[in-house]
Structures are given as structure tokens and as C-alpha cells.
């Protein structure tokens, strides 16, 4: 036996390092937050183009499946359920309004007749109570479901995209406004996390966490935590020099103002031209020129707030596919609305069951692309030498 070696003991178990190779799993790739917002806004735009409840339900299922598959485990990603509750509340409020205030849609199928409150002459056109028809309720259901779907799509973007990373991607001219929007977007998820934490603590102590009493006893600590968080945020922003601007020559400031104002006016004039028959010839060129001038103004305005980005987000092919799927859904639904508007807007007079149009439904299914793309990859590392 050579010196420095030891014989293995009989029956000894091999070491875990020698028998089990270490494996690593790559993290979910960092998608550009703007890709998630473009995907969600594309689905929301598609929801505004139809009142077909089957297509709207398909949009809801698509956004929910992508959120459940792709959202990270962060506090702000848990706000999706709050947007679902808000969408249900909006739908119920819309139905309550049509029951109490009536509907502009005439109908012959009366569900119930409520006592009608007489109103003065200056309130003509408004009624309280009266007949509630099935046509009016169905019309309100279609309209409320469209707004609810739009809210759920915004909630999906809020649950998938990091607000802080989205702020880093904004141009310098919009940094202050972006900070305000990001603070507003992150405020609701923190409130939801605080409410869940306090309700769990009250349940552990055997105290009520539901009803009016539980709500009142939870609201005060939540408000106190929100105030403390806002004060800490203000101190951190002041310590980091938020709001301080660099010295920019006067001619650059004047050029920035002219380009931004002129670009916004061009966008308004071009949009008006596209919407009217008389301005169809000049609408598109004026809109393109306005957008170009506004972007140039934003780029020049970014010189007033110089800042650096640590690990900036890149538009990878994966991010482009995610954003492109949402844009494709919006474009195809807009095209379907111009070619077959009756399929996207089913009528309620006469009262008939809506049908599911095939190729608009296939266009909505393109929104599932982010959940179908490979997001994880694992590769075994080489074995470490035995000791």
C-alpha cells in the first residue's frame, strides 16, 4: 500500500459528493417588463373590441393561465387576485345599476317589476325602479364583462412585470412621472400583503378577522404601515437626490418644449384625421410626424435628469415574442371587428344565445404563447472528483 492512501472500510457508504452529481437549474429568463405590459395591453385592447361573452371569457382564461404559469414569487405578483375581486365588483355594480336605474335597451321579456319612484320634470330620461327586462340585464352583463376583462388584463401586467424594472426602462424625461406611477402600482400589492399578514396574526390569536369588526381593527394597522412606508420612501428618495436636474442650455430646453408640444399636437391632429373621412389623406403622415417629434423631444428632455442603469433590461427574442403575441391578438381582433362585427357584438333583440366565432377565438389563443415558451432549462454539471 502506498503512503498517503487509506483502505476503504468494509461496508462504508460512499460519500454523497462522489455518488450524486450536482445539478443546477437556470433561473427564469429576465423578460423586459415592457413586453409583459404590451402583451397585457394587447389583450385589453382585444377586450374593448368585442362584447361577445364567449370571447371575453376566453380572454379571461388566457390571461389567468399565463399569470399562473409565468408570474414570479414576489409580493407585487399577488395582486392579481385583488384585480379579480375588483372585476367581479364592477360587474355586479353594473348589473345593480341596470336593475335600479333601468336600461336604454327596450325589451319585452320582463323579469320583475319594481316600484317606480316619481321624479321631477327636470330629471326626464332617468327613472328609479320600474320594469327590469331580460334584454336590459343581458346587455349590461355584456358591457360589464368587457370592462371587467380589461381590469383583469391590467392586473395580469401588474402581476407579471416588476414595477421597479419598468421604471428603469423609461426615458429620462418621464422619470419623475414614472416614479409616481410605480409608487401607485406598488402601493396596492403592499396593502394586500399587510392585510393578509394582519388577518393571519389575528386568527392565530383567536380574534375575529372577518366582518365589520375585523375590518375596523385591521384597517388602522394597515394605514399606520402605509404612512411609515411613505415616510421611509420619501427619505430614501431625498437621500438619493431625487428631483435634482442637470444644467441644460436654454436653447436645448426651448427645442425640447417645441418638439414635445408640436409632437403632441401632431398626434392629436393625425388621430382626428384618421377617424374622419375628410382627413384620411393627411391623417397618417401627420400622426407619424407627431410621434417622431414627440420621441425626439423626450430624448432631448432626458438630458435634464442624467442617471445610470445597473443591469439594464434587454429586448431579447423571448421578450419580442411575448410582446408580439399580445399585439397580434389586438390586431386580429380589430380586423375581425371590421370584417364580421355581428360575431363580435351579438345582439340582445331578439334575445338569442351568442355564438363563438372560430378565427377570432383562435386569435385570442395566441395570447397563450408566453406560457408555452420554454422558460426553464436544466443541464447537469460534470461530476466532482471523489475525495
Amino acid at each position: 500500500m502506498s503512503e498517503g492512501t487509506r483502505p476503504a472500510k468494509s461496508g462504508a457508504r460512499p460519500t454523497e459528493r462522489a455518488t450524486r452529481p450536482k445539478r443546477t437549474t437556470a433561473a427564469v429568463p429576465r423578460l423586459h417588463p415592457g413586453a409583459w405590459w404590451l402583451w397585457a395591453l394587447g389583450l385589453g385592447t382585444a377586450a374593448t373590441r368585442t362584447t361577445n361573452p364567449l370571447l371575453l371569457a376566453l380572454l379571461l382564461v388566457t390571461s389567468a393561465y399565463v399569470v399562473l404559469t409565468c408570474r414570479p414569487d414576489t409580493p407585487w405578483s399577488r395582486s392579481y387576485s385583488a384585480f379579480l375581486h375588483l372585476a367581479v365588483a364592477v360587474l355586479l355594480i353594473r348589473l345593480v345599476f341596470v336593475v335600479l336605474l333601468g336600461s336604454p335597451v327596450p325589451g319585452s321579456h320582463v323579469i320583475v317589476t319594481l316600484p317606480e319612484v316619481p321624479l321631477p320634470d327636470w330629471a326626464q330620461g332617468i327613472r328609479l325602479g320600474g320594469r327590469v327586462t331580460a334584454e336590459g340585464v343581458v346587455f349590461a352583463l355584456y358591457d360589464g364583462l368587457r370592462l371587467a376583462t380589461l381590469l383583469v388584463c391590467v392586473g395580469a401586467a401588474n402581476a407579471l412585470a416588476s414595477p421597479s424594472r419598468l421604471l428603469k426602462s423609461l426615458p429620462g424625461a418621464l422619470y419623475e412621472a414614472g416614479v409616481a406611477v410605480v409608487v401607485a402600482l406598488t402601493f396596492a400589492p403592499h396593502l394586500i400583503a399587510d392585510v393578509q399578514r394582519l388577518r393571519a396574526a389575528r386568527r392565530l390569536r383567536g380574534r375575529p378577522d372577518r366582518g365589520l369588526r375585523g375590518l375596523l381593527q385591521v384597517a388602522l394597522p394597515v394605514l399606520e404601515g402605509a404612512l411609515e412606508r411613505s415616510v421611509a420612501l420619501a427619505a430614501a428618495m431625498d437621500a438619493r437626490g431625487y428631483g435634482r436636474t442637470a444644467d441644460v442650455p436654454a436653447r436645448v430646453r426651448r427645442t425640447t418644449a417645441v418638439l414635445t408640444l408640436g409632437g403632441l399636437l401632431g398626434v392629436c391632429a393625425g388621430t382626428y384625421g384618421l377617424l374622419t373621412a375628410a382627413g384620411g389623406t393627411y391623417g397618417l403622415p401627420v400622426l407619424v410626424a407627431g410621434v417622431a417629434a414627440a420621441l425626439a423631444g423626450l430624448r432631448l428632455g432626458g438630458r435634464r435628469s442624467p442617471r445610470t442603469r445597473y443591469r439594464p433590461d434587454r429586448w431579447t427574442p423571448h421578450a419580442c415574442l411575448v410582446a408580439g403575441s399580445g399585439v397580434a391578438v389586438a390586431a386580429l381582433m380589430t380586423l375581425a371587428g371590421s370584417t364580421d362585427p355581428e360575431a363580435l357584438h351579438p345582439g340582445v333583440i331578439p334575445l338569442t344565445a351568442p355564438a363563438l366565432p372560430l378565427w377570432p377565438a383562435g386569435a385570442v389563443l395566441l395570447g397563450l404563447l408566453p406560457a408555452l415558451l420554454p422558460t426553464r432549462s436544466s443541464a447537469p454539471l460534470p461530476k466532482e472528483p471523489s475525495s
Side-chain angles (χ1 to χ4, degrees):
M1 183 184 299
S2 60
E3 185 179 359
T5 61
R6 296 181 181 178
K9 295 182 180 180
S10 177
R13 297 177 62 183
T15 60
E16 184 178 358
R17 180 181 297 180
T19 58
R20 295 182 182 178
K22 289 186 176 180
R23 293 175 180 266
T24 182
T25 301
V28 177
R30 286 169 55 93
L31 282 181
H32 197 287
W36 285 122
W37 273 99
L38 287 176
W39 170 83
L41 291 178
L43 265 63
T45 303
T48 61
R49 308 302 299 177
T50 179
T51 56
N52 191 318
L54 300 179
L55 291 176
L56 293 175
L58 193 59
L59 284 169
L60 288 173
V61 173
T62 299
S63 63
Y65 183 77
V66 173
V67 169
L68 293 177
T69 305
C70 303
R71 70 174 174 179
D73 187 13
T74 54
W76 41 265
S77 65
R78 302 168 192 166
S79 62
Y80 184 71
S81 60
F83 280 91
L84 288 177
H85 288 87
L86 180 60
V88 172
V90 167
L91 183 59
L92 294 178
I93 291 173
R94 183 69 177 88
L95 293 176
V96 169
F97 277 1
V98 77
V99 170
L100 296 180
L101 303 179
S103 173
V105 177
S108 57
H109 297 79
V110 180
I111 300 176
V112 64
T113 302
L114 299 177
E116 187 170 354
V117 179
L119 297 177
D121 296 337
W122 54 266
Q124 292 295 329
I126 303 174
R127 68 175 179 88
L128 295 177
R131 296 191 313 163
V132 180
T133 61
E135 289 83 356
V137 172
V138 171
F139 178 79
L141 178 64
Y142 291 174
D143 193 50
L145 187 59
R146 176 169 58 177
L147 180 56
T149 306
L150 181 59
L151 288 175
V152 170
C153 293
V154 174
N158 196 26
L160 292 169
S162 172
S164 59
R165 288 172 51 201
L166 183 63
L167 176 63
K168 292 196 305 181
S169 305
L170 291 177
L174 300 177
Y175 182 68
E176 286 79 6
V179 169
V181 173
V182 168
V183 170
L185 289 176
T186 55
F187 187 74
H190 282 298
L191 283 182
I192 295 169
D194 288 346
V195 170
Q196 293 175 349
R197 176 176 54 84
L198 290 171
R199 290 182 61 186
R202 291 183 63 83
R203 284 195 299 267
L204 291 175
R205 293 179 174 88
R207 298 177 181 177
D209 63 319
R210 295 181 180 275
L212 182 59
R213 181 181 177 184
L215 177 62
L216 293 177
Q217 294 183 358
V218 168
L220 185 59
V222 170
L223 179 60
E224 182 182 358
L227 291 176
E228 290 180 356
R229 191 180 300 112
S230 62
V231 172
L233 178 62
M237 292 170 65
D238 184 68
R240 288 169 173 80
Y242 172 76
R244 300 176 185 175
T245 57
D247 293 333
V248 179
R251 58 182 182 84
V252 175
R253 292 199 301 269
R254 289 192 293 268
T255 305
T256 302
V258 170
L259 286 175
T260 305
L261 183 59
L264 293 178
L265 291 176
V267 169
C268 294
T271 305
Y272 177 78
L274 291 177
L275 295 177
T276 58
T281 56
Y282 68 85
L284 184 59
V286 172
L287 179 61
V288 172
V291 170
L295 292 177
L298 290 178
R299 186 169 184 82
L300 284 178
R303 296 184 180 182
R304 298 185 65 250
S305 57
R307 55 194 177 95
T308 58
R309 293 182 176 92
Y310 175 68
R311 296 180 64 189
D313 293 296
R314 306 292 184 185
W315 279 94
T316 60
H318 194 164
C320 293
L321 286 176
V322 170
S325 64
V327 174
V329 172
L332 291 176
M333 287 293 289
T334 304
L335 180 62
S338 60
T339 56
D340 192 7
E342 295 181 358
L344 268 63
H345 300 277
V348 296
I349 301 176
L351 194 60
T352 57
L356 180 64
L358 293 182
W359 76 269
V364 173
L365 293 179
L366 290 177
L368 292 173
L369 183 62
L372 303 179
L373 292 175
T375 55
R376 291 184 181 272
S377 60
S378 59
L381 291 177
K383 290 185 177 181
E384 296 184 1
S386 303
S387 59

